[in-house]
């Protein structure tokens, strides 16, 4: 095993200790007996272990805290609040505090002296804070990939959003939809870009056009109601609407009711992000469950592993989704 491939987990396994014990022994911290410390250090030398730059940075100036940056319009969205709680829980398990960064934090300077690492969730190409955060001098993990700039994050957690939309469109087609539409944001984030690309790919594969209309990233029900009303008026035979933004599906239902359409039969309605708005709607709305709390935990876990040396820079981990089928897509069968 070469020094380039040896990780902290390798050392821990070879020494017969936990990852945290190995990290404490090699980093000179924690309650580790001198005999155990010497044993772990000896194993590390034999394996040729060398800590990565993130771990070295942590030992130089650890604050015991990590920062969380959310999209600028995310504070009212159920998805991001659940994600943040998941990240807080995982960070606490690793002995880290989590600080929610206010807009403009990166430009204030000195961020690297206040946190050991950063979580940047759904980075948008037009958010001026993101390039500065990626270049803050600490390890950075993104939730979904960043589509702009030359500075790469230290790691990422990604979800196959293209596959989730394809599965949703397949479900609608199986329930009888022949003229579907998608309400989605501009392709300024990896999530939105993946949805738009998936809609185009599905249209070409099935020979059925998915009509795409643009709505804000954090569209309100009022905004999606207006967009759906336009679709109903402009698209002959419209029989299904997929609403991408979190919490905005009630607007689609309101537009259908105003047009005299029965949701679940005349118009099938689904969402790309499950949450309280979809579950509590009348009728309940079929949606993709991105498991935000687990997603937040996964992002925090990657950052923790980077900080302790258990993961190498450039690590990408994948997060699973599920499709929750409800009354809004029951179809005419």
């Amino acid at each position: 095993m070469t020094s380039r491939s040896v990780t902290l987990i390798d050392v821990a396994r070879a020494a017969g200790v936990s990852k945290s014990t190995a990290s404490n022994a090699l980093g000179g911290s924690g309650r580790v007996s001198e005999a155990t410390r010497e044993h772990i250090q000896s194993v590390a030398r034999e394996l040729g272990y060398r800590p990565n730059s993130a771990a070295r940075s942590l030992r130089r100036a650890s604050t015991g805290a990590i920062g969380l940056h959310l999209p600028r319009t995310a504070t009212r969205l159920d998805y991001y609040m659940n994600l943040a709680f998941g990240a807080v829980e995982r960070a606490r398990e690793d002995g880290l505090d989590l600080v929610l960064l206010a807009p403009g934090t990166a430009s204030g300077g000195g961020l690297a002296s206040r946190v050991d690492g950063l979580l940047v969730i759904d980075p948008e190409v037009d958010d001026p804070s993101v390039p500065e955060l990626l270049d803050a001098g600490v390890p950075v993990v993104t939730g979904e990939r960043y589509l702009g700039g030359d500075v790469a994050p230290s790691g990422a957690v990604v979800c196959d959003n293209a596959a989730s939309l394809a599965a949703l469109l397949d479900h609608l087609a199986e329930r009888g939809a022949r003229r579907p539409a998608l309400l989605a944001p501009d392709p300024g984030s990896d999530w939105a870009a993946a949805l738009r690309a998936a809609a185009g790919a599905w249209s070409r594969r099935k020979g059925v056009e998915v009509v795409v209309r643009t709505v804000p990233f954090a569209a309100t029900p009022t905004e999606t109601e207006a967009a759906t009303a336009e679709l109903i008026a402009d698209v002959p035979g419209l029989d299904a609407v997929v609403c991408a933004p979190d919490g905005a599906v009630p607007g689609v239902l309101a537009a259908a009711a105003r047009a005299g359409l029965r949701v679940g039969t005349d118009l099938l309605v689904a969402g790309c992000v499950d949450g309280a708005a979809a579950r509590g709607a009348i009728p309940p709305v079929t949606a993709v469950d991105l498991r935000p709390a687990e997603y937040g935990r996964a992002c925090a876990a990657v950052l923790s592993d980077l900080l302790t040396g258990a993961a190498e820079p450039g690590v990408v981990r994948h997060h699973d989704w599920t499709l929750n089928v409800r009354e809004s897509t029951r179809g005419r069968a």
Side-chain angles (χ1 to χ4, degrees), residues 68-113:
L68 173 64
H69 175 79
L70 299 174
R72 293 161 293 177
T73 54
T75 53
R76 63 178 175 79
L77 300 182
D78 182 62
Y79 172 83
Y80 289 109
M81 293 305 98
N82 282 302
L83 186 152
F85 287 134
V88 167
E89 289 176 357
R90 178 53 198 255
R92 184 167 53 230
E93 291 171 9
D94 291 332
L96 297 167
D97 294 325
L98 187 142
V99 179
L100 182 61
L101 301 180
T105 299
S107 60
L111 185 59
S113 67

Side-chain angles (χ1 to χ4, degrees), residues 52 54-56 58 66 96 116-117 139 302-310:
N52 63 34
R56 288 195 296 268
L58 178 65
I66 59 175
L96 297 167
D116 297 328
V302 172
L303 183 54
S304 177
D305 285 348
L306 284 166
L307 291 171
T308 61

Side-chain angles (χ1 to χ4, degrees), residues 36-329:
T36 299
R37 190 185 307 277
E38 291 178 357
H39 169 62
I40 293 170
Q41 290 174 344
S42 176
V43 169
R45 285 193 298 270
E46 291 174 4
L47 293 177
Y49 171 75
R50 295 291 184 274
N52 63 34
S53 59
R56 288 195 296 268
S57 176
L58 178 65
R59 287 200 301 275
R60 282 198 304 268
S62 175
T63 67
I66 59 175
L68 173 64
H69 175 79
L70 299 174
R72 293 161 293 177
T73 54
T75 53
R76 63 178 175 79
L77 300 182
D78 182 62
Y79 172 83
Y80 289 109
M81 293 305 98
N82 282 302
L83 186 152
F85 287 134
V88 167
E89 289 176 357
R90 178 53 198 255
R92 184 167 53 230
E93 291 171 9
D94 291 332
L96 297 167
D97 294 325
L98 187 142
V99 179
L100 182 61
L101 301 180
T105 299
S107 60
L111 185 59
S113 67
R114 303 196 296 275
V115 296
D116 297 328
L118 294 167
L119 302 176
V120 180
I121 308 301
D122 281 328
E124 300 172 274
V125 295
D126 62 350
D127 183 346
S129 296
V130 173
E132 298 178 47
L133 291 168
L134 291 173
D135 199 30
V138 295
V140 179
V141 171
T142 58
E144 304 300 346
R145 293 180 173 88
Y146 178 51
L147 302 181
D150 298 325
V151 181
S154 310
V157 179
V158 300
C159 191
D160 194 343
N161 297 299
S164 70
L165 180 60
L168 192 50
L169 291 170
D170 284 343
H171 166 72
L172 294 174
E174 291 167 0
R175 297 298 174 93
R178 298 294 179 266
R179 193 75 167 114
L182 171 68
L183 302 177
D186 284 322
S189 68
D190 190 28
W191 169 69
L195 294 180
R196 286 174 170 267
W202 190 89
S203 295
R204 292 187 294 272
R205 186 170 65 253
K206 299 291 186 177
V208 176
E209 181 190 7
V210 178
V211 180
V212 180
R213 291 291 172 86
T214 300
V215 293
F217 184 90
T220 64
T222 299
E223 289 167 329
T224 53
E225 181 178 356
T228 304
E230 290 180 2
L231 283 169
I232 293 170
D234 297 345
V235 181
L238 179 76
D239 55 13
V241 175
V242 178
C243 180
D246 177 28
V249 288
V252 180
L253 304 183
R258 279 202 299 138
L261 300 175
R262 295 169 299 170
V263 172
T265 52
D266 301 330
L267 184 70
L268 308 186
V269 177
C272 292
V273 182
D274 201 3
R279 293 190 299 269
I282 301 176
V285 173
T286 292
V288 175
D289 185 0
L290 297 174
R291 303 164 51 246
E294 291 81 1
Y295 194 79
R297 287 183 62 86
C299 291
V302 172
L303 183 54
S304 177
D305 285 348
L306 284 166
L307 291 171
T308 61
E312 297 295 324
V315 59
V316 176
R317 294 179 186 167
H318 295 269
H319 180 70
D320 293 330
W321 52 270
T322 58
L323 178 60
N324 292 331
V325 176
R326 302 190 178 102
E327 189 179 350
S328 69
T329 59

